[in-house]
Structures are given as C-alpha cells and as structure tokens.
Amino acid sequence: MSKISSDDITQIVYTVDSGVVGVFAIGVVLDDEQSNFESVHEDVNRHITGINEFIAEKYGVEDAVNADNMHLDHILVKDKISSKSTASSAYDIKNIKYVKKCENLNSAIDIDSVRKSSGNNTSTQAINAFTYDEYYHNFVYRGGNNYVYLYRKSTNTEAICTTSPTFPHLGDGNKRLDCGAKWMPTIVQAKFQSEITSGKNRTTLIFAYESGYNNYNNLIKDDNETLEMEVAFYNYIHANEEYKLGSAFQLLTGKTFSTNIPDYYLDTELCDDPNVLTFCVGCHDARKLSTNVFYYWAIDSKNGSQTPAYQQNGRFRVVAQRGYHIAETVSTYNVFSEEHEHSILLGFGSEYNWVPNPRNAWNLAASGEKWEYHEGDIYCY
C-alpha cells in the first residue's frame, strides 16, 4: 500500500443515500481545467442542491440529502482505483492509502498497430476484450486487408464474421428488431442552466419507464443489456458555410457529475466526433433499473460561448442508445452499441437532426423551460 500523490488523482466519487430514490453518486473529474482540490467542496454542495431540487420536484420531499450524510466512495488514480475509503473525513483525499490496481479496461484493438507490426505477413490476434459467453473475435490482417473472424468455443469453429440483423456480432440476437418493439424510456426531460457556477454550465437529464407501457420489458430481453441516455451539442465551429457555424452550450473539460442510475458509468468521449459534444451517464446493467422511478444525471462543465453569435449556437438533441456489456466490471470501456440498431433521436420529426431553433440550450436556460418527451410523441431513427 502506498500513499496517493494528489497529482495522480483523476476522479473523486462520493455517495449519499437519499432515502427516497436510492443512492446518488457525485463525481469530480480532475483535468487541465480543474486540477486541484480547492473547489471540490463547492462542487459537491452544488450537486447536492441539484439533487434536492430534483427530489423535491418529482417526489415532494425537501432537503432529502446533505453533505453530513455523504461518504467518500472511491477515487481513480490514473491506472489504479482505491478500495472503499476509510479516511476520517469525506474530504480527506490526500490521506487515503488503500489502493489496488484496477482491472484492465477492455478496449478495441488498434488494427493499425497490428498492420505495422506484421508487415505483409499474415497476423492473427485474439482479443479477449471482445469475448462474451462462448464467442471470440479475431482480427486478421492478410494480403493488405483486415478481416474479422468469429470463433465459437463449443464447436471449435471459426469463420469470417459476416454480421447481419439475424447474426449480429456479440449482441442479443437483435430481439428488438425481430418484433419492432420500442425500448426507450417513456418519459425524458432535459434541463439546461448557464453559469451554474462561475465559468460552468449544467445539463440535467431525467428519464423513467412507466409501468403502463412495455418498453422496459422490451429493453431487458437479455442479461447484458446497457442503456445510454445522451444529450449531444452541435459544435461545428469550423464549418465552411456561415449558416452552419455553431458552438456547443458546454464543453467536455472541468466535468463534475451526479446521478442515481444504478451501475452507472461516466461515458467516455473516445472516438467521438469533435463536431458533436456528447454528455452521458450510462447504465451498465439495465436489469437494475425499475419502472415508475425517475433516474437522473447532471453534468457541469466549462461553459460554451455565445460569441460570435452563430446561428446554430446551443443546438442540441437527446439520444437513446441501447447496447451490451462484455464483462461484469462496470466501465464505459466494456460497453458496445448494438451493431444493427440505430440510436434513437427523441422528440422531433425525421426532417431534423437537431431540436429546431429557437429552442436551443441557451434559450431554454434563459427561460427555465425544460425539453420534454413522452411515449407517443413523434420520434425518428
């Protein structure tokens, strides 16, 4: 065991039991924008205020959580993660000594590195990160081309993986596609707040599965289902045509977050389009969600700019994405989207890719109005 260097800490996570709608996690991400502990107390109290506002609105209970009942749950330290804290104070970050190596995070293989190391020779590499049940994916580089083979342990056979709606890679067999059933939440709300604290904006996403619909049962047809409810912001700051220019409502640095989603993970921006900034707290095991419960995430981060006053500033969309996890360890790197099912854009018609102006995040923040979706509203793929 060794004492943690404050320079190594990348994320601090607290928990507090609401007694109303489960346990909330509150996380602070330390990066170039937010690189010290000085504001942690303020960040946590700000999220506690947001949680209390949410619980009061949805359940009518005032001041359900407070910092006195909060516990330091764990911290991320570059390639390590702390065990459950025994620190004397929730803010006694620097004196945590119980640290162990984190399980290796699964990630996609860098096929370019395989190509460079193998030259023109045949190269095969089995990637355990893509293992689920009895299947393995093998990436094969032959004759200048990349191939994906699917190996099945029970039959000891391997063939080129020709994925299709009836034979997906490693998903659930696309049961939802077979019957065309809806699986997205039946209630979704998004709220935007500017200058939640100096230099930061906030996005809040609330969703629920009502028991009067079959959407939840459609979601959990297998045992490795995941759910991501995302808010994405338009960020085309280098568009060639002036009318296409637009800046995001908030940026990806200086993040803090809070959520009551079970088996949550703060989604990564790995490989995301820089023209679309996505904010999301996902659910690693959708079976742990319940009907008639409001789930909540709030993310604060560095605010975007309204200057220059581009036509598309603050444009956003709300996206429901279903996926599957390939390991029991809760991690964004263990989650993959279903190969043959589009993400669903909620709450507007198929002629749009973004919520139409003037209902952009800046205007909704100024008015205090929420963006809302309910089952039965028009939606598009």
Side-chain angles (χ1 to χ4, degrees):
M1 294 185 294
S2 60
K3 190 171 180 178
I4 297 170
S5 166
S6 59
D7 293 335
D8 290 336
I9 295 177
T10 59
Q11 190 176 131
I12 309 166
V13 179
Y14 304 88
T15 55
V16 59
D17 191 343
S18 70
V20 179
V21 63
V23 174
F24 283 78
I26 303 173
V28 179
V29 179
L30 298 177
D31 56 19
D32 291 339
E33 182 67 27
Q34 181 164 294
S35 57
N36 58 61
F37 302 115
E38 294 177 2
S39 66
V40 169
H41 194 284
E42 177 188 339
D43 291 328
V44 168
N45 282 331
R46 188 171 66 250
H47 277 278
I48 284 177
T49 298
I51 292 168
N52 279 328
E53 290 173 352
F54 158 69
I55 293 174
E57 177 188 345
K58 297 301 184 185
Y59 296 95
V61 178
E62 301 288 340
D63 300 325
V65 300
N66 61 73
D68 293 338
N69 297 326
M70 186 182 67
H71 302 281
L72 179 58
D73 188 72
H74 68 272
I75 63 175
L76 299 182
V77 188
K78 293 189 178 175
D79 295 329
K80 302 175 183 177
I81 184 171
S82 75
S83 60
K84 296 294 182 180
S85 171
T86 56
S88 59
S89 163
Y91 296 104
D92 190 13
I93 308 295
K94 296 180 182 180
N95 290 322
I96 301 175
K97 298 181 180 179
Y98 302 98
V99 180
K100 61 183 179 180
K101 288 246 182 218
C102 183
E103 292 186 42
N104 290 332
L105 297 180
N106 296 321
S107 59
I109 185 68
D110 183 352
I111 292 180
D112 285 337
S113 67
V114 175
R115 179 186 299 116
K116 291 173 184 176
S117 64
S118 60
N120 292 322
N121 298 323
T122 298
S123 174
T124 303
Q125 184 169 357
I127 309 305
N128 289 334
F130 283 80
T131 301
Y132 186 75
D133 194 15
E134 62 171 70
Y135 292 98
Y136 292 84
H137 271 117
N138 293 331
F139 288 96
V140 181
Y141 183 72
R142 290 175 180 158
N145 295 309
N146 295 310
Y147 299 93
V148 180
Y149 280 73
L150 188 68
Y151 170 73
R152 186 171 185 179
K153 290 188 290 184
S154 64
T155 59
N156 194 30
T157 56
E158 184 178 63
I160 290 179
C161 187
T162 53
T163 179
S164 69
T166 56
F167 186 64
H169 281 180
L170 293 176
D172 62 358
N174 291 303
K175 294 181 177 71
R176 255 55 98 248
L177 291 185
D178 291 343
C179 59
K182 294 180 181 180
W183 51 264
M184 70 287 284
T186 57
I187 295 175
V188 186
Q189 298 176 329
K191 179 181 178 181
F192 307 99
Q193 294 167 272
S194 60
E195 290 295 317
I196 191 73
T197 188
S198 179
K200 286 192 174 185
N201 290 350
R202 170 178 290 179
T203 295
T204 301
L205 196 287
I206 298 168
F207 67 90
Y209 284 91
E210 296 166 285
S211 58
Y213 298 84
N214 205 42
N215 293 39
Y216 178 67
N217 291 330
N218 294 335
L219 174 68
I220 58 167
K221 283 185 177 291
D222 62 351
D223 60 4
N224 66 330
E225 203 68 42
T226 66
L227 177 68
E228 293 183 356
M229 297 300 300
E230 306 172 344
V231 176
F233 292 108
Y234 189 101
N235 193 49
Y236 287 81
I237 57 177
H238 300 298
N240 294 327
E241 299 172 87
E242 185 174 350
Y243 78 94
K244 293 182 179 179
L245 289 167
S247 298
F249 175 72
Q250 62 189 96
L251 307 180
L252 298 173
T253 54
K255 280 186 182 179
T256 62
F257 68 93
S258 53
T259 186
N260 68 334
I261 295 173
D263 276 6
Y264 76 90
Y265 58 90
L266 182 65
D267 197 24
T268 179
E269 298 85 40
L270 183 67
C271 301
D272 283 358
D273 182 350
N275 296 317
V276 180
L277 304 188
T278 300
F279 293 79
C280 174
V281 177
C283 179
H284 183 265
D285 187 350
R287 296 172 302 171
K288 295 186 178 180
L289 300 172
S290 300
T291 57
N292 301 324
V293 173
F294 285 103
Y295 294 101
Y296 162 104
W297 64 249
I299 298 177
D300 300 355
S301 67
K302 185 177 181 180
N303 54 14
S305 176
Q306 298 189 78
T307 306
Y310 294 137
Q311 183 177 342
Q312 310 300 336
N313 282 352
R315 295 290 295 278
F316 72 95
R317 62 191 179 208
V318 177
V319 181
Q321 182 169 300
R322 179 174 83 75
Y324 59 92
H325 64 252
I326 61 172
E328 293 304 316
T329 303
V330 178
S331 167
T332 182
Y333 299 103
N334 289 335
V335 173
F336 295 85
S337 59
E338 289 290 346
E339 291 92 348
H340 298 288
E341 185 169 283
H342 296 289
S343 299
I344 296 177
L345 309 182
L346 297 176
F348 53 92
S350 58
E351 68 272 26
Y352 300 108
N353 288 320
W354 302 89
V355 173
N357 266 327
R359 298 189 76 226
N360 62 58
W362 289 108
N363 288 341
L364 292 180
S367 67
E369 179 186 0
K370 292 188 183 76
W371 174 94
E372 298 187 78
Y373 164 85
H374 192 272
E375 177 64 32
D377 290 350
I378 189 168
Y379 67 92
C380 62
Y381 288 86

